[in-house]
Amino acid sequence: MTRIVSKNLYTVVSPKELWSVYKNDVWRCGRNSHAGLNKLRLGKDLHYAIDPFIPDNALILPNQKFGISFADSLDKLRKQPVNGRAWKLAVGRQLPDGLCFNFLQKDHPLLNVSRPMTANNLLICLEQLSKLMINTNEKV
């Protein structure tokens, strides 16, 4: 009997499903003053297209293979090649509308858009999310 194993299958987690998939906080490395969500790295963290009909020209598109890196635990965050302060999104906090997580491996969720949006709208969502996150003052 042949068993086929598919690789590179990403799971998308909607805001409503987030805390049924993740039973504990999700973590991000940031700085003393912010959770590190204020700089967009288009093409590296987020998939985008140029649209000449929108004001800032960048349209962020959902793509499960891209996303802003998070971790499912403080221990996992400490094992990543980052340094700064540990920030957490506490269990029960609701992601801003238009955001979701996706993952290939559950311990490394990637924050992404759930629908196409302009870069300016994404920055607004990320600012809302930053206000929900807690600086634990733990060094990473």
Side-chain angles (χ1 to χ4, degrees):
M1 180 165 114
T2 303
R3 182 173 171 220
I4 298 172
V5 177
S6 297
K7 293 183 179 183
N8 298 325
L9 292 178
Y10 283 77
T11 301
V12 177
V13 182
S14 73
K16 290 180 182 180
E17 299 167 323
L18 181 61
W19 302 118
S20 63
V21 173
Y22 291 96
K23 305 298 183 193
N24 297 305
D25 307 328
V26 291
W27 298 80
R28 170 132 179 97
C29 183
R31 301 291 169 246
N32 287 334
S33 60
H34 59 84
L37 297 172
N38 56 345
K39 292 185 181 176
L40 296 179
R41 298 186 314 175
L42 300 179
K44 181 164 182 162
D45 291 332
L46 298 161
H47 186 66
Y48 75 102
I50 300 299
D51 185 339
F53 300 104
I54 59 174
D56 58 6
N57 291 336
L59 185 64
I60 312 303
L61 303 170
N63 184 324
Q64 292 91 4
K65 294 181 180 181
F66 286 84
I68 299 169
S69 188
F70 276 71
D72 73 337
S73 69
L74 182 56
D75 184 52
K76 172 66 178 177
L77 184 64
R78 286 188 167 131
K79 291 178 183 174
Q80 293 180 359
V82 295
N83 55 26
R85 299 285 179 195
W87 288 71
K88 70 178 181 178
L89 179 63
V91 171
R93 297 281 176 125
Q94 184 72 27
L95 284 176
D97 186 43
L99 298 181
C100 66
F101 278 105
N102 43 272
F103 62 84
L104 180 60
Q105 297 169 341
K106 189 177 170 194
D107 63 349
H108 188 212
L110 301 170
L111 182 70
N112 207 321
V113 295
S114 59
R115 63 177 182 269
M117 68 173 64
T118 65
N120 285 338
N121 285 344
L122 177 58
L123 287 171
I124 291 167
C125 289
L126 293 176
E127 179 63 29
Q128 292 170 348
L129 178 58
S130 290
K131 290 177 182 178
L132 297 174
M133 295 188 70
I134 300 165
N135 182 354
T136 66
N137 288 314
E138 293 277 340
K139 286 186 180 180
V140 179

